[in-house]
Amino acid sequence: MTQAKTVSPANGLRGELTVPGDKSISHRSIMLGSLAKGKTLVRGFLHGEDNHATLNAFRTMGITINELADGDLEIHGRGLHGLSEPADVIDCGNSGTTIRLMTGLLAGQGFFSVLTGDKYLRKRPMKRVLAPLATMDARIWGRGGGEFAPLAILGNPLRPTTYDSPIASAQVKSAVLLAGLYAEGETTVREPHLSRDHSERMLKYFGAEICPFKGGVTVKGQPHLEGREVFVPGDISSAAFFMVAALITPDSELLIRNVGVNPTRSGIIDILQDMGAKLELLNPRELSGEPVADILVKTSELKGIEIGGEVVPRAIDEFPVISIAAAFAQGTTIVRDARELRVKETDRIAAMTSELSRLGGRVEAREDGMAIAGAGHLSGGLVSSHGDHRIAMSMAVAALRAGKEVRISDTACTATSFPNFWDLLEKVRV
Ligand code: S3P
């Protein structure tokens, strides 16, 4: 599964594109569609490997999910207590969202289940969800004293909890909220900064009683969820590669249509605008409880900035490509408060530092971030994706403005979130 790709410098990127559906919203549409009563229609579902892991998991638990001709999904939900015991281990592949959210959701079932994943996922920390779930009486075991998958879950009646999360993580928050659906009474999660709130919005959309407040959110257990039509907007995390590509490549202008711009996800827009990006949101609207807009972006002179605090969780998946924007900015960009990058699909601080350095970038890794000197020039060369989709795509963006061709090893991983990335890149190159 290595599949190396060579990307040559571009003269410009022009035209219009739509990026595939939002990965986080796609996961949640299957989960809540399955736990709702009746039919849920999911429009614009992301057919990537991560979301297929979630889809297969619910099929193995007895949920009928039909794929319609245009890729939309029809889910025949069986209600909160309608899942059946899976006959085999559930493989979550590379998907942290699948394994962590499902751990919460499975903790309150009347059956036994086992979750595992690929070699990257099996190295990622799981105690962050097991610890709060234990306060709800969940019974879950894992390797390394409960830190690593495979995870074995013996479903158990749950009691509600109030959890003060030390990290701003939507996966932790969502795991506890999903477990909270099975508890009698109110479950509350507080977090240091607001992480993406797609679970909250979609739970409300499906009819749960959910109450966000400053610093946290409360959900009431045992709701009746009703099947709905869900429109999945384009993934801002995928659009981000094209935003940065257009900003750093001379003579570029791109219109990216139908992008989800939920404020808990749109940190990339604030960061790029602070760096001096010519980037505008057009035609703002709302779809299934999520804000959506078109994004117009043009080649820009960027400047280095300091990034930290509340914007970090709102842009958490975009730091690999932000480091590429920083490499072509005037001055130094400092990223701090981003320790979470060390436990993503790979250690993204280490991976971006090593791969940018290979192309002559001047980057220093720090414990909770990085310092990137805007050298304004990268050379060609050979780089590695580290098996991480967002590192692979970020290096492809860097290549558009590098002095010579860049060869990226192991690019098959882009299928986890953005299967047509390479085709779209070809389409908009002039
Ligand atoms: C996600 C939450 C984020 C993000 C991941 C998807 C989600 O992880 O990095 O790609 O769908 O809830 P954390 O919540 O662990 O920060």
Side-chain angles (χ1 to χ4, degrees):
M1 286 270 285
T2 52
Q3 222 181 85
K5 291 232 187 245
T6 301
V7 182
S8 50
N11 295 322
L13 304 175
R14 301 190 79 84
E16 288 187 23
L17 70 153
T18 52
V19 294
D22 186 277
K23 180 156 75 71
S24 293
I25 298 175
S26 293
H27 282 301
R28 288 156 173 82
S29 71
I30 297 195
M31 295 179 187
L32 296 192
S34 299
L35 301 184
K37 270 260 188 286
K39 196 160 81 179
T40 285
L41 210 56
V42 187
R43 309 234 181 246
F45 181 80
L46 168 61
H47 286 281
E49 287 173 359
D50 275 16
N51 291 126
H52 280 176
T54 298
L55 193 155
N56 291 336
F58 281 86
R59 280 186 174 151
T60 61
M61 292 189 290
I63 303 296
T64 302
I65 305 176
N66 301 322
E67 189 179 332
L68 308 179
D70 49 7
D72 291 352
L73 297 183
E74 193 183 70
I75 304 171
H76 294 268
R78 299 182 55 191
L80 210 55
H81 301 281
L83 301 179
S84 46
E85 186 171 74
D88 202 350
V89 171
I90 292 176
D91 184 1
C92 303
N94 190 244
S95 177
T97 306
T98 307
I99 197 164
R100 296 208 180 101
L101 270 58
M102 292 211 23
T103 300
L105 192 155
L106 290 170
Q109 305 297 328
F111 55 72
F112 174 75
S113 54
V114 180
L115 301 174
T116 192
D118 70 9
K119 63 179 179 182
Y120 302 102
L121 193 62
R122 280 182 276 114
K123 282 192 202 138
R124 297 183 64 187
M126 296 297 149
K127 264 196 189 148
R128 52 178 59 204
V129 291
L130 267 57
L133 294 175
T135 69
M136 305 177 78
D137 286 347
R139 297 207 281 168
I140 309 168
W141 295 265
R143 286 186 308 122
E147 185 62 292
F148 302 113
L151 301 175
I153 304 164
L154 188 56
N156 201 43
L158 299 180
R159 57 191 169 103
T161 195
T162 294
Y163 183 61
D164 276 296
S165 176
I167 44 175
S169 162
Q171 292 181 353
V172 171
K173 173 174 63 176
S174 303
V176 177
L177 293 177
L178 289 170
L181 299 180
Y182 290 87
E184 286 293 345
E186 291 185 346
T187 290
T188 296
V189 186
R190 297 198 197 96
E191 51 183 349
H193 293 298
L194 183 57
S195 64
R196 63 189 66 189
D197 65 357
H198 303 302
S199 298
E200 295 92 307
R201 286 174 187 257
M202 203 183 286
L203 277 164
K204 179 166 178 228
Y205 188 66
F206 275 83
E209 266 184 63
I210 182 135
C211 180
F213 58 88
K214 197 169 167 24
V217 58
T218 297
V219 71
K220 194 156 172 213
Q222 304 293 345
H224 174 80
L225 305 176
E226 195 66 43
R228 297 295 310 261
E229 185 167 11
V230 177
F231 292 89
V232 181
D235 197 325
I236 191 167
S237 297
S238 298
F241 299 109
F242 286 91
M243 292 182 213
V244 173
L247 289 173
I248 65 171
T249 309
D251 295 320
S252 297
E253 179 169 332
L254 287 180
L255 180 64
I256 315 172
R257 289 202 185 274
N258 194 37
V259 182
V261 290
N262 178 323
T264 62
R265 292 289 299 286
S266 60
I268 178 70
I269 292 173
D270 300 340
I271 289 168
L272 293 175
Q273 285 177 337
D274 279 358
M275 294 177 84
K278 289 181 204 152
L279 190 155
E280 280 176 76
L281 297 197
L282 309 173
N283 190 17
R285 52 210 186 266
E286 188 165 307
L287 283 178
S288 327
E290 289 280 352
V292 178
D294 303 329
I295 298 178
L296 180 66
V297 55
K298 298 178 187 169
T299 309
S300 306
E301 293 281 325
L302 299 178
K303 61 175 195 300
I305 59 166
E306 298 207 0
I307 305 169
E310 65 79 36
V311 77
V312 171
R314 298 196 297 113
I316 194 65
D317 291 337
E318 282 61 82
F319 284 95
V321 80
I322 288 168
S323 69
I324 305 299
F328 290 104
Q330 288 286 335
T332 300
T333 294
I334 310 279
V335 177
R336 55 171 69 95
D337 305 324
R339 196 171 281 105
E340 277 295 296
L341 296 178
R342 297 217 174 257
V343 290
K344 292 297 173 187
E345 284 79 334
T346 185
D347 175 343
R348 287 182 172 160
I349 293 174
M352 287 311 293
T353 303
S354 87
E355 300 320 301
L356 265 173
S357 304
R358 286 206 212 191
L359 300 183
R362 290 188 289 138
V363 201
E364 178 194 306
R366 299 189 171 169
E367 180 42 35
D368 70 341
M370 53 214 289
I372 306 135
H377 175 81
L378 292 180
S379 59
L382 187 65
V383 295
S384 161
S385 72
H386 296 241
D388 180 330
H389 54 139
R390 300 203 200 281
I391 304 288
M393 292 185 276
S394 297
M395 296 321 292
V397 171
L400 299 172
R401 181 61 200 286
K404 277 204 181 117
E405 281 184 348
V406 174
R407 188 157 174 82
I408 309 160
S409 68
D410 197 0
T411 61
C413 52
T414 52
T416 63
S417 67
F418 201 162
N420 63 340
F421 171 75
W422 305 100
D423 295 341
L424 280 181
L425 195 57
E426 276 312 305
K427 182 186 143 188
V428 296
R429 277 178 89 108
V430 287

